[in-house]
Amino acid sequence: MAITSRAPVPGGGVAAPPAGPPDGPPRPGTAWAEGVERLRAAATTEPGRLRIIGAVLAALVLLFGAVTVWEISDRLSAADDVVGRSQPLSADAASIYRSLADADTASSSGFLAGGDEPREVRQRYEKDIANASKLLVSAAANTAADEDSRQQIALLSEQLPRYTGLIEQARATNKQGLPLGGAYLRYANEQMSTQLLPAAQRLYEAETGRLYTDYDDARSLPLASLGTGLLALAALGWAQRRNYLRTNRVFNHGLVAATAASLVVLMWLAVGHAVARSELGEARSDGQESLKVLNDARIASLQARASENLTLIARGAVLAADKKSDKYDVDFTSNMKQLDTGLATALRLADDTSGREPVIRAADGVKQWKQRHAAARETDLRGDYQDALPQVIGDKVHKDSSGASFDTVDASLEQAVAHEQKEFTRAARAGLGALGGLVTGSAALAVVGAAAALLGIGRRLSEYR
């Protein structure tokens, strides 16, 4: 056995044996550490620095393009939903509400005519019910997976056949001259007022809320794209200034081309989104807001007309909450106040002659309607029902009935709604069109810009070979 001696050390003791070689090969560094080391080594030479600068510039330009594609695709999808999905669904929900209210009005008008129900009144009622049923089927198929909307659609689909059944019972009983027909009609009107119309209103509010969400999504600023674009331009500007200071060359064609491509994308993004934002804002303020007010006003007029008819049908049998006044006469007054408020707001929102004129005609018709209603109501309160009836529904002698005034108001509001719907569609489509081509264009220009930046840096690198 070999004996290893240890040299003495001052103060006593012996020195430790010298360290021998390690037991195995040296441990390699991590991939990240090796990459950082190579990058650091490359940065010590000008060609290495140029390669790093070229890679960073290309990456920034591509990132700018990718973020722009992502953000504009999102806004384009939301704008497309505004034009093609959420606004049509909101309009359909409003049409369901309006059709139901109009059907209730037509049914009461037909009832007042007795056994000789006018054919046009009957056809109007049937058309309203068919339209509401068709739109409910369409809404069930196209509405988003929103639980509230589906609940309202289910409730409307369940209650509408019950309502039409009550109307048919009222009509059949009325033709037999039995007073029970009026009770059936009042019960049907109560079901319409307390179940069908509130459900239609909730459906309309849900779909309109979804429309406003799409508006906000489409109009939100693409801050990430704008920020990335400015960063890319700043980096390209710095690279060109560095190139000028080191070579005294004013332009590097590749870097200039990359800068131009990035600038085009940034300007296209800024201007295109600004135009889209403006047009969509106009569609909302001048189109959708006016549509909402006009739809509410038209529904108030329909409910007022139904209440006016039921005042004659019930003949004081149904009292208001104060137990003194006729319920339907109180409802008529309330509906007319809502109509006056709605028309005043619609007139304020109308921004052109074509939009203002039908609203003004409707307001004039409301004034005439109130006067004729007051005259008919006074006649009825005197107990002269037979003379009050034609003042409300009209005949060959009483052509200036309150019903004729209502028809003027309804036709004017229908024209105003059609005009505002046209204005909305024009502005919304213009907003959607302003974003068209930006996704494809920004992607293509980003690729061109990145390639140009690499070529520009490559031109500089070739000078070191």
Side-chain angles (χ1 to χ4, degrees), residues 84-128:
R85 187 187 64 85
S86 52
Q87 202 283 330
L89 283 174
S90 175
D92 284 350
S95 186
I96 290 172
Y97 196 148
R98 188 168 57 248
S99 294
L100 292 174
D102 192 56
D104 199 46
T105 300
S107 65
S108 60
S109 296
F111 189 91
L112 280 175
D116 299 326
E117 180 180 10
R119 183 178 180 182
E120 60 273 14
V121 174
R122 175 66 176 176
Q123 289 177 338
R124 180 171 180 171
Y125 166 81
E126 292 176 345
K127 181 180 178 181
D128 287 331

mmCIF file of all heavy atoms in Angstrom, residues 84-128:
data_model
loop_
_atom_site.group_PDB
_atom_site.id
_atom_site.type_symbol
_atom_site.label_atom_id
_atom_site.label_comp_id
_atom_site.label_asym_id
_atom_site.label_seq_id
_atom_site.Cartn_x
_atom_site.Cartn_y
_atom_site.Cartn_z
ATOM 1 N N GLY A 84 -75.271 42.420 -40.460
ATOM 2 C CA GLY A 84 -75.941 41.213 -40.932
ATOM 3 C C GLY A 84 -76.626 40.356 -39.902
ATOM 4 O O GLY A 84 -77.382 39.445 -40.268
ATOM 5 N N ARG A 85 -76.393 40.616 -38.590
ATOM 6 C CA ARG A 85 -76.999 39.729 -37.596
ATOM 7 C C ARG A 85 -77.721 40.481 -36.488
ATOM 8 O O ARG A 85 -78.943 40.380 -36.358
ATOM 9 C CB ARG A 85 -75.930 38.820 -36.976
ATOM 10 C CG ARG A 85 -76.501 37.751 -36.055
ATOM 11 C CD ARG A 85 -75.397 37.004 -35.336
ATOM 12 N NE ARG A 85 -74.647 37.865 -34.439
ATOM 13 C CZ ARG A 85 -75.034 38.129 -33.182
ATOM 14 N NH1 ARG A 85 -76.140 37.587 -32.700
ATOM 15 N NH2 ARG A 85 -74.307 38.917 -32.426
ATOM 16 N N SER A 86 -76.994 41.244 -35.677
ATOM 17 C CA SER A 86 -77.606 41.807 -34.474
ATOM 18 C C SER A 86 -78.652 42.876 -34.773
ATOM 19 O O SER A 86 -79.705 42.910 -34.131
ATOM 20 C CB SER A 86 -76.515 42.368 -33.538
ATOM 21 O OG SER A 86 -75.661 43.250 -34.225
ATOM 22 N N GLN A 87 -78.390 43.757 -35.769
ATOM 23 C CA GLN A 87 -79.400 44.768 -36.078
ATOM 24 C C GLN A 87 -80.641 44.151 -36.728
ATOM 25 O O GLN A 87 -81.763 44.495 -36.355
ATOM 26 C CB GLN A 87 -78.802 45.869 -36.959
ATOM 27 C CG GLN A 87 -79.574 47.201 -36.884
ATOM 28 C CD GLN A 87 -80.862 47.217 -37.675
ATOM 29 O OE1 GLN A 87 -80.972 46.536 -38.692
ATOM 30 N NE2 GLN A 87 -81.836 48.000 -37.216
ATOM 31 N N PRO A 88 -80.481 43.237 -37.691
ATOM 32 C CA PRO A 88 -81.683 42.573 -38.203
ATOM 33 C C PRO A 88 -82.477 41.837 -37.122
ATOM 34 O O PRO A 88 -83.710 41.849 -37.138
ATOM 35 C CB PRO A 88 -81.125 41.592 -39.245
ATOM 36 C CG PRO A 88 -79.879 42.250 -39.731
ATOM 37 C CD PRO A 88 -79.294 42.901 -38.509
ATOM 38 N N LEU A 89 -81.784 41.205 -36.164
ATOM 39 C CA LEU A 89 -82.501 40.535 -35.081
ATOM 40 C C LEU A 89 -83.215 41.543 -34.193
ATOM 41 O O LEU A 89 -84.337 41.303 -33.736
ATOM 42 C CB LEU A 89 -81.527 39.698 -34.246
ATOM 43 C CG LEU A 89 -81.083 38.372 -34.866
ATOM 44 C CD1 LEU A 89 -80.006 37.713 -34.010
ATOM 45 C CD2 LEU A 89 -82.268 37.434 -35.025
ATOM 46 N N SER A 90 -82.568 42.682 -33.929
ATOM 47 C CA SER A 90 -83.222 43.735 -33.149
ATOM 48 C C SER A 90 -84.444 44.265 -33.894
ATOM 49 O O SER A 90 -85.505 44.486 -33.294
ATOM 50 C CB SER A 90 -82.224 44.873 -32.878
ATOM 51 O OG SER A 90 -82.853 45.953 -32.230
ATOM 52 N N ALA A 91 -84.303 44.462 -35.216
ATOM 53 C CA ALA A 91 -85.439 44.933 -36.019
ATOM 54 C C ALA A 91 -86.564 43.903 -36.035
ATOM 55 O O ALA A 91 -87.750 44.254 -35.979
ATOM 56 C CB ALA A 91 -84.970 45.241 -37.436
ATOM 57 N N ASP A 92 -86.202 42.614 -36.115
ATOM 58 C CA ASP A 92 -87.226 41.562 -36.089
ATOM 59 C C ASP A 92 -87.953 41.541 -34.751
ATOM 60 O O ASP A 92 -89.179 41.339 -34.699
ATOM 61 C CB ASP A 92 -86.586 40.202 -36.351
ATOM 62 C CG ASP A 92 -86.230 39.996 -37.816
ATOM 63 O OD1 ASP A 92 -86.647 40.826 -38.649
ATOM 64 O OD2 ASP A 92 -85.538 39.011 -38.124
ATOM 65 N N ALA A 93 -87.211 41.733 -33.657
ATOM 66 C CA ALA A 93 -87.840 41.757 -32.334
ATOM 67 C C ALA A 93 -88.809 42.927 -32.232
ATOM 68 O O ALA A 93 -89.915 42.795 -31.670
ATOM 69 C CB ALA A 93 -86.772 41.844 -31.248
ATOM 70 N N ALA A 94 -88.417 44.088 -32.770
ATOM 71 C CA ALA A 94 -89.319 45.244 -32.782
ATOM 72 C C ALA A 94 -90.546 44.957 -33.641
ATOM 73 O O ALA A 94 -91.667 45.367 -33.304
ATOM 74 C CB ALA A 94 -88.578 46.478 -33.293
ATOM 75 N N SER A 95 -90.338 44.253 -34.749
ATOM 76 C CA SER A 95 -91.460 43.911 -35.626
ATOM 77 C C SER A 95 -92.414 42.925 -34.963
ATOM 78 O O SER A 95 -93.632 42.993 -35.163
ATOM 79 C CB SER A 95 -90.930 43.329 -36.937
ATOM 80 O OG SER A 95 -91.976 43.107 -37.853
ATOM 81 N N ILE A 96 -91.867 41.996 -34.163
ATOM 82 C CA ILE A 96 -92.730 41.078 -33.404
ATOM 83 C C ILE A 96 -93.620 41.873 -32.452
ATOM 84 O O ILE A 96 -94.837 41.663 -32.371
ATOM 85 C CB ILE A 96 -91.877 40.063 -32.626
ATOM 86 C CG1 ILE A 96 -91.200 39.084 -33.588
ATOM 87 C CG2 ILE A 96 -92.727 39.294 -31.617
ATOM 88 C CD1 ILE A 96 -90.180 38.175 -32.926
ATOM 89 N N TYR A 97 -92.994 42.791 -31.716
ATOM 90 C CA TYR A 97 -93.737 43.635 -30.774
ATOM 91 C C TYR A 97 -94.828 44.413 -31.515
ATOM 92 O O TYR A 97 -96.001 44.442 -31.102
ATOM 93 C CB TYR A 97 -92.746 44.588 -30.096
ATOM 94 C CG TYR A 97 -93.255 45.254 -28.839
ATOM 95 C CD1 TYR A 97 -92.377 45.570 -27.812
ATOM 96 C CD2 TYR A 97 -94.585 45.595 -28.668
ATOM 97 C CE1 TYR A 97 -92.810 46.173 -26.647
ATOM 98 C CE2 TYR A 97 -95.036 46.213 -27.513
ATOM 99 C CZ TYR A 97 -94.137 46.504 -26.513
ATOM 100 O OH TYR A 97 -94.577 47.114 -25.373
ATOM 101 N N ARG A 98 -94.446 45.043 -32.628
ATOM 102 C CA ARG A 98 -95.385 45.876 -33.374
ATOM 103 C C ARG A 98 -96.518 45.031 -33.966
ATOM 104 O O ARG A 98 -97.691 45.441 -33.961
ATOM 105 C CB ARG A 98 -94.634 46.611 -34.471
ATOM 106 C CG ARG A 98 -95.446 47.648 -35.203
ATOM 107 C CD ARG A 98 -94.561 48.521 -36.070
ATOM 108 N NE ARG A 98 -93.785 47.739 -37.027
ATOM 109 C CZ ARG A 98 -92.467 47.604 -36.977
ATOM 110 N NH1 ARG A 98 -91.773 48.178 -36.014
ATOM 111 N NH2 ARG A 98 -91.826 46.887 -37.882
ATOM 112 N N SER A 99 -96.195 43.852 -34.487
ATOM 113 C CA SER A 99 -97.225 42.984 -35.081
ATOM 114 C C SER A 99 -98.236 42.533 -34.033
ATOM 115 O O SER A 99 -99.444 42.485 -34.294
ATOM 116 C CB SER A 99 -96.567 41.768 -35.737
ATOM 117 O OG SER A 99 -95.773 42.150 -36.836
ATOM 118 N N LEU A 100 -97.742 42.201 -32.843
ATOM 119 C CA LEU A 100 -98.656 41.784 -31.774
ATOM 120 C C LEU A 100 -99.570 42.933 -31.347
ATOM 121 O O LEU A 100 -100.779 42.739 -31.169
ATOM 122 C CB LEU A 100 -97.848 41.286 -30.569
ATOM 123 C CG LEU A 100 -97.071 39.978 -30.778
ATOM 124 C CD1 LEU A 100 -96.204 39.680 -29.559
ATOM 125 C CD2 LEU A 100 -98.016 38.817 -31.053
ATOM 126 N N ALA A 101 -98.989 44.120 -31.184
ATOM 127 C CA ALA A 101 -99.803 45.271 -30.790
ATOM 128 C C ALA A 101 -100.820 45.605 -31.881
ATOM 129 O O ALA A 101 -101.977 45.951 -31.585
ATOM 130 C CB ALA A 101 -98.901 46.473 -30.502
ATOM 131 N N ASP A 102 -100.406 45.514 -33.141
ATOM 132 C CA ASP A 102 -101.319 45.820 -34.236
ATOM 133 C C ASP A 102 -102.419 44.774 -34.342
ATOM 134 O O ASP A 102 -103.571 45.098 -34.651
ATOM 135 C CB ASP A 102 -100.536 45.901 -35.546
ATOM 136 C CG ASP A 102 -101.355 46.498 -36.666
ATOM 137 O OD1 ASP A 102 -101.851 47.628 -36.502
ATOM 138 O OD2 ASP A 102 -101.521 45.831 -37.709
ATOM 139 N N ALA A 103 -102.072 43.505 -34.086
ATOM 140 C CA ALA A 103 -103.089 42.453 -34.105
ATOM 141 C C ALA A 103 -104.140 42.711 -33.028
ATOM 142 O O ALA A 103 -105.345 42.517 -33.267
ATOM 143 C CB ALA A 103 -102.431 41.088 -33.893
ATOM 144 N N ASP A 104 -103.701 43.154 -31.863
ATOM 145 C CA ASP A 104 -104.640 43.459 -30.784
ATOM 146 C C ASP A 104 -105.552 44.618 -31.174
ATOM 147 O O ASP A 104 -106.751 44.611 -30.877
ATOM 148 C CB ASP A 104 -103.855 43.791 -29.517
ATOM 149 C CG ASP A 104 -104.700 43.660 -28.264
ATOM 150 O OD1 ASP A 104 -105.410 42.641 -28.126
ATOM 151 O OD2 ASP A 104 -104.657 44.571 -27.419
ATOM 152 N N THR A 105 -104.994 45.606 -31.839
ATOM 153 C CA THR A 105 -105.788 46.746 -32.300
ATOM 154 C C THR A 105 -106.792 46.316 -33.363
ATOM 155 O O THR A 105 -107.972 46.703 -33.322
ATOM 156 C CB THR A 105 -104.856 47.838 -32.870
ATOM 157 O OG1 THR A 105 -103.961 48.271 -31.858
ATOM 158 C CG2 THR A 105 -105.651 49.026 -33.382
ATOM 159 N N ALA A 106 -106.334 45.508 -34.322
ATOM 160 C CA ALA A 106 -107.217 45.060 -35.398
ATOM 161 C C ALA A 106 -108.350 44.188 -34.859
ATOM 162 O O ALA A 106 -109.499 44.283 -35.317
ATOM 163 C CB ALA A 106 -106.419 44.285 -36.446
ATOM 164 N N SER A 107 -108.037 43.354 -33.868
ATOM 165 C CA SER A 107 -109.081 42.477 -33.314
ATOM 166 C C SER A 107 -110.172 43.292 -32.622
ATOM 167 O O SER A 107 -111.366 43.002 -32.763
ATOM 168 C CB SER A 107 -108.461 41.469 -32.346
ATOM 169 O OG SER A 107 -107.907 42.128 -31.220
ATOM 170 N N SER A 108 -109.778 44.334 -31.897
ATOM 171 C CA SER A 108 -110.783 45.167 -31.227
ATOM 172 C C SER A 108 -111.569 46.002 -32.237
ATOM 173 O O SER A 108 -112.773 46.214 -32.072
ATOM 174 C CB SER A 108 -110.118 46.080 -30.188
ATOM 175 O OG SER A 108 -109.171 46.938 -30.789
ATOM 176 N N SER A 109 -110.918 46.449 -33.315
ATOM 177 C CA SER A 109 -111.631 47.200 -34.355
ATOM 178 C C SER A 109 -112.654 46.305 -35.046
ATOM 179 O O SER A 109 -113.795 46.733 -35.312
ATOM 180 C CB SER A 109 -110.628 47.741 -35.382
ATOM 181 O OG SER A 109 -109.743 48.662 -34.789
ATOM 182 N N GLY A 110 -112.253 45.067 -35.339
ATOM 183 C CA GLY A 110 -113.186 44.132 -35.955
ATOM 184 C C GLY A 110 -114.349 43.800 -35.040
ATOM 185 O O GLY A 110 -115.497 43.645 -35.502
ATOM 186 N N PHE A 111 -114.078 43.710 -33.743
ATOM 187 C CA PHE A 111 -115.143 43.403 -32.788
ATOM 188 C C PHE A 111 -116.181 44.527 -32.749
ATOM 189 O O PHE A 111 -117.390 44.270 -32.677
ATOM 190 C CB PHE A 111 -114.537 43.202 -31.400
ATOM 191 C CG PHE A 111 -115.509 42.671 -30.386
ATOM 192 C CD1 PHE A 111 -115.662 41.306 -30.186
ATOM 193 C CD2 PHE A 111 -116.299 43.539 -29.634
ATOM 194 C CE1 PHE A 111 -116.565 40.825 -29.245
ATOM 195 C CE2 PHE A 111 -117.198 43.061 -28.697
ATOM 196 C CZ PHE A 111 -117.335 41.693 -28.504
ATOM 197 N N LEU A 112 -115.705 45.769 -32.799
ATOM 198 C CA LEU A 112 -116.635 46.905 -32.759
ATOM 199 C C LEU A 112 -117.556 46.922 -33.975
ATOM 200 O O LEU A 112 -118.695 47.407 -33.890
ATOM 201 C CB LEU A 112 -115.852 48.222 -32.691
ATOM 202 C CG LEU A 112 -115.309 48.620 -31.325
ATOM 203 C CD1 LEU A 112 -114.456 49.869 -31.440
ATOM 204 C CD2 LEU A 112 -116.442 48.844 -30.325
ATOM 205 N N ALA A 113 -117.056 46.396 -35.095
ATOM 206 C CA ALA A 113 -117.881 46.370 -36.306
ATOM 207 C C ALA A 113 -118.996 45.338 -36.213
ATOM 208 O O ALA A 113 -119.889 45.311 -37.069
ATOM 209 C CB ALA A 113 -117.011 46.084 -37.526
ATOM 210 N N GLY A 114 -118.952 44.489 -35.197
ATOM 211 C CA GLY A 114 -119.998 43.498 -34.989
ATOM 212 C C GLY A 114 -119.904 42.350 -35.956
ATOM 213 O O GLY A 114 -118.821 41.913 -36.350
ATOM 214 N N GLY A 115 -121.066 41.837 -36.382
ATOM 215 C CA GLY A 115 -121.097 40.690 -37.281
ATOM 216 C C GLY A 115 -120.571 41.018 -38.664
ATOM 217 O O GLY A 115 -120.160 40.123 -39.405
ATOM 218 N N ASP A 116 -120.613 42.307 -39.028
ATOM 219 C CA ASP A 116 -120.137 42.720 -40.352
ATOM 220 C C ASP A 116 -118.694 43.210 -40.278
ATOM 221 O O ASP A 116 -118.373 44.335 -40.657
ATOM 222 C CB ASP A 116 -121.036 43.830 -40.910
ATOM 223 C CG ASP A 116 -122.470 43.367 -41.082
ATOM 224 O OD1 ASP A 116 -122.654 42.178 -41.411
ATOM 225 O OD2 ASP A 116 -123.390 44.179 -40.884
ATOM 226 N N GLU A 117 -117.816 42.373 -39.778
ATOM 227 C CA GLU A 117 -116.407 42.743 -39.649
ATOM 228 C C GLU A 117 -115.818 43.006 -41.030
ATOM 229 O O GLU A 117 -115.903 42.153 -41.916
ATOM 230 C CB GLU A 117 -115.623 41.618 -38.965
ATOM 231 C CG GLU A 117 -114.153 41.921 -38.785
ATOM 232 C CD GLU A 117 -113.417 40.773 -38.106
ATOM 233 O OE1 GLU A 117 -114.016 39.687 -37.961
ATOM 234 O OE2 GLU A 117 -112.251 40.976 -37.713
ATOM 235 N N PRO A 118 -115.214 44.174 -41.243
ATOM 236 C CA PRO A 118 -114.632 44.470 -42.560
ATOM 237 C C PRO A 118 -113.554 43.455 -42.933
ATOM 238 O O PRO A 118 -112.762 43.036 -42.091
ATOM 239 C CB PRO A 118 -114.040 45.874 -42.370
ATOM 240 C CG PRO A 118 -114.796 46.456 -41.224
ATOM 241 C CD PRO A 118 -115.105 45.307 -40.315
ATOM 242 N N ARG A 119 -113.549 43.099 -44.192
ATOM 243 C CA ARG A 119 -112.606 42.089 -44.650
ATOM 244 C C ARG A 119 -111.163 42.553 -44.478
ATOM 245 O O ARG A 119 -110.286 41.770 -44.092
ATOM 246 C CB ARG A 119 -112.876 41.769 -46.123
ATOM 247 C CG ARG A 119 -111.982 40.671 -46.672
ATOM 248 C CD ARG A 119 -112.334 40.377 -48.117
ATOM 249 N NE ARG A 119 -111.490 39.328 -48.662
ATOM 250 C CZ ARG A 119 -111.551 38.894 -49.921
ATOM 251 N NH1 ARG A 119 -112.458 39.417 -50.747
ATOM 252 N NH2 ARG A 119 -110.747 37.934 -50.342
ATOM 253 N N GLU A 120 -110.897 43.855 -44.738
ATOM 254 C CA GLU A 120 -109.527 44.361 -44.626
ATOM 255 C C GLU A 120 -109.028 44.322 -43.182
ATOM 256 O O GLU A 120 -107.834 44.136 -42.935
ATOM 257 C CB GLU A 120 -109.419 45.778 -45.195
ATOM 258 C CG GLU A 120 -110.281 46.821 -44.531
ATOM 259 C CD GLU A 120 -111.687 46.905 -45.135
ATOM 260 O OE1 GLU A 120 -112.071 45.981 -45.884
ATOM 261 O OE2 GLU A 120 -112.373 47.903 -44.862
ATOM 262 N N VAL A 121 -109.960 44.513 -42.218
ATOM 263 C CA VAL A 121 -109.565 44.451 -40.810
ATOM 264 C C VAL A 121 -109.193 43.012 -40.440
ATOM 265 O O VAL A 121 -108.191 42.773 -39.748
ATOM 266 C CB VAL A 121 -110.703 44.969 -39.903
ATOM 267 C CG1 VAL A 121 -110.347 44.774 -38.426
ATOM 268 C CG2 VAL A 121 -110.973 46.441 -40.184
ATOM 269 N N ARG A 122 -109.993 42.074 -40.904
ATOM 270 C CA ARG A 122 -109.709 40.665 -40.645
ATOM 271 C C ARG A 122 -108.367 40.258 -41.271
ATOM 272 O O ARG A 122 -107.558 39.563 -40.652
ATOM 273 C CB ARG A 122 -110.834 39.807 -41.221
ATOM 274 C CG ARG A 122 -110.601 38.297 -41.117
ATOM 275 C CD ARG A 122 -110.597 37.829 -39.687
ATOM 276 N NE ARG A 122 -110.469 36.375 -39.599
ATOM 277 C CZ ARG A 122 -110.362 35.709 -38.470
ATOM 278 N NH1 ARG A 122 -110.351 36.363 -37.315
ATOM 279 N NH2 ARG A 122 -110.273 34.403 -38.464
ATOM 280 N N GLN A 123 -108.122 40.696 -42.494
ATOM 281 C CA GLN A 123 -106.871 40.360 -43.175
ATOM 282 C C GLN A 123 -105.678 40.997 -42.463
ATOM 283 O O GLN A 123 -104.609 40.385 -42.396
ATOM 284 C CB GLN A 123 -106.934 40.832 -44.630
ATOM 285 C CG GLN A 123 -107.880 40.006 -45.493
ATOM 286 C CD GLN A 123 -107.973 40.534 -46.919
ATOM 287 O OE1 GLN A 123 -107.674 41.707 -47.190
ATOM 288 N NE2 GLN A 123 -108.426 39.688 -47.836
ATOM 289 N N ARG A 124 -105.873 42.195 -41.934
ATOM 290 C CA ARG A 124 -104.782 42.849 -41.212
ATOM 291 C C ARG A 124 -104.425 42.064 -39.954
ATOM 292 O O ARG A 124 -103.244 41.864 -39.648
ATOM 293 C CB ARG A 124 -105.191 44.275 -40.847
ATOM 294 C CG ARG A 124 -104.125 45.048 -40.079
ATOM 295 C CD ARG A 124 -104.513 46.498 -39.948
ATOM 296 N NE ARG A 124 -103.502 47.257 -39.220
ATOM 297 C CZ ARG A 124 -103.506 48.585 -39.105
ATOM 298 N NH1 ARG A 124 -104.457 49.286 -39.685
ATOM 299 N NH2 ARG A 124 -102.549 49.196 -38.426
ATOM 300 N N TYR A 125 -105.437 41.598 -39.244
ATOM 301 C CA TYR A 125 -105.201 40.794 -38.037
ATOM 302 C C TYR A 125 -104.455 39.507 -38.399
ATOM 303 O O TYR A 125 -103.452 39.156 -37.751
ATOM 304 C CB TYR A 125 -106.538 40.476 -37.368
ATOM 305 C CG TYR A 125 -106.454 39.390 -36.322
ATOM 306 C CD1 TYR A 125 -106.021 39.669 -35.031
ATOM 307 C CD2 TYR A 125 -106.802 38.067 -36.640
ATOM 308 C CE1 TYR A 125 -105.938 38.671 -34.068
ATOM 309 C CE2 TYR A 125 -106.714 37.063 -35.685
ATOM 310 C CZ TYR A 125 -106.282 37.368 -34.402
ATOM 311 O OH TYR A 125 -106.194 36.370 -33.458
ATOM 312 N N GLU A 126 -104.933 38.808 -39.409
ATOM 313 C CA GLU A 126 -104.306 37.540 -39.800
ATOM 314 C C GLU A 126 -102.871 37.755 -40.282
ATOM 315 O O GLU A 126 -101.976 36.946 -39.992
ATOM 316 C CB GLU A 126 -105.138 36.861 -40.881
ATOM 317 C CG GLU A 126 -106.499 36.368 -40.379
ATOM 318 C CD GLU A 126 -107.359 35.790 -41.483
ATOM 319 O OE1 GLU A 126 -107.032 36.033 -42.678
ATOM 320 O OE2 GLU A 126 -108.354 35.111 -41.172
ATOM 321 N N LYS A 127 -102.643 38.841 -40.992
ATOM 322 C CA LYS A 127 -101.286 39.145 -41.464
ATOM 323 C C LYS A 127 -100.353 39.414 -40.289
ATOM 324 O O LYS A 127 -99.200 38.964 -40.278
ATOM 325 C CB LYS A 127 -101.330 40.357 -42.398
ATOM 326 C CG LYS A 127 -99.972 40.743 -42.955
ATOM 327 C CD LYS A 127 -100.079 41.958 -43.875
ATOM 328 C CE LYS A 127 -98.704 42.371 -44.385
ATOM 329 N NZ LYS A 127 -98.790 43.577 -45.261
ATOM 330 N N ASP A 128 -100.843 40.143 -39.281
ATOM 331 C CA ASP A 128 -100.025 40.430 -38.100
ATOM 332 C C ASP A 128 -99.653 39.155 -37.351
ATOM 333 O O ASP A 128 -98.493 38.976 -36.942
ATOM 334 C CB ASP A 128 -100.772 41.381 -37.156
ATOM 335 C CG ASP A 128 -100.827 42.799 -37.679
ATOM 336 O OD1 ASP A 128 -99.904 43.208 -38.404
ATOM 337 O OD2 ASP A 128 -101.811 43.506 -37.371
#
